[in-house]
Amino acid sequence: MNKIGYFSIASGSSGNCSLFFCGDTIILIDMGVSVRKLNNSLSSLGLTVDMLDAVLITHEHTDHIKGLSTFAKKYNIPVFMTKGTAHAVLQKIPHAKDIIHTFIGCESFFIKSVQVKSFLTPHDANESVGFILNCKEINFGFATDLGFIPLNVKNMLSKCDFVVIEANHDIDMLKNNEIYPYKLKQRVLGNYGHLSNVACAECVVDLVKNGVNTIVLAHLSEKNNTPVKAARYINQMLFIAGLKCDLFVAPVNEMEKPIFFEMEMDKCLALG
Ligand SMILES: [Zn+2]
Ligand SMILES: [Zn+2]
């Protein structure tokens, strides 16, 4: 596969798992689906689990590591996470020890030709991170599960061509949700919770102003947001700011097809 692209296998409060590929390097971000679902999604792209080079884990919440226990029993593929995340993960999944590789938040490392940089995210987890992946002059940013966007994170995402960013909830839908207990609402709305459509839009406007041209809205709450609401609001804010970008919403289940940054690597190189 001589292309650079992104494919969301699942996104939202019930499970998160996505794929970044650049040439022959294939990286999974988060393992929040069953191994069966992972296999099915990969085979729809003509891939198999054995073709994965690595898995990156953002943090230890169940919706990001649900499939990791079975994955660790079946495959010998390296899984990278921060030391803090590993500490929390190993308490739940001790047999994953042999495939887990740790890094310090903010450290960068290589998976084949892809440079992985991480940044710490404000979230109620043990050393959670987001990622910037650099491959062939293309920067891909990934930031979900964060209560707000710290300035250093915004600066890093601003240098990307393609950004996946959380648009978790519509504030009114969350506040009016009759099923959510008060404490849970406070958690989601807090600085260590999740990003609202409003906070996401503020960041997206700044990113697009700085040259980011493709945005994927991700980790939408199934109970407190809708893809139409999120996309409409963010598009509206871009329009008011006189800006435009390619905007996608990662569905709860897998995307219909991958988003290719550029169809052919040669073209990317030519652009670089
Ligand atoms: Zn999550
Ligand atoms: Zn989380």
Side-chain angles (χ1 to χ4, degrees), residues 143-174:
T144 67
D145 297 73
L146 63 181
F148 67 99
I149 303 268
L151 190 60
N152 68 317
V153 172
K154 191 153 72 179
N155 288 341
M156 284 175 85
L157 295 175
S158 290
K159 296 186 182 95
C160 291
D161 305 281
F162 186 136
V163 171
V164 175
I165 185 169
E166 173 168 47
N168 179 258
H169 56 275
D170 171 85
I171 295 173
D172 289 335
M173 270 179 89
L174 175 63

Side-chain angles (χ1 to χ4, degrees), residues 19 31 35 38 42 56 62 68 72 80 89 101 111 115 135-136 160 172 214 219 226 234 269 271-272:
L19 202 64
M31 192 50 238
V35 167
L38 175 66
L42 290 179
L56 304 175
T62 310
L68 191 57
F80 293 85
V89 166
H101 299 253
I111 295 168
Q115 186 186 27
C135 179
K136 307 280 178 197
C160 291
D172 289 335
T214 307
H219 209 303
T226 68
I234 282 128
L269 286 171
L271 285 174

Side-chain angles (χ1 to χ4, degrees), residues 14 18 24 31 36 77 81 100 126 135 138 144 151 162 177 193 195 213-214 221 225 228 257:
S14 48
S18 51
D24 66 347
M31 192 50 238
R36 178 193 290 239
I77 291 165
M81 60 188 76
I100 289 180
N126 213 11
C135 179
I138 297 292
T144 67
L151 190 60
F162 186 136
N177 185 318
L195 215 61
N213 50 35
T214 307
S221 164
N225 209 356
V228 171
K257 53 182 189 207

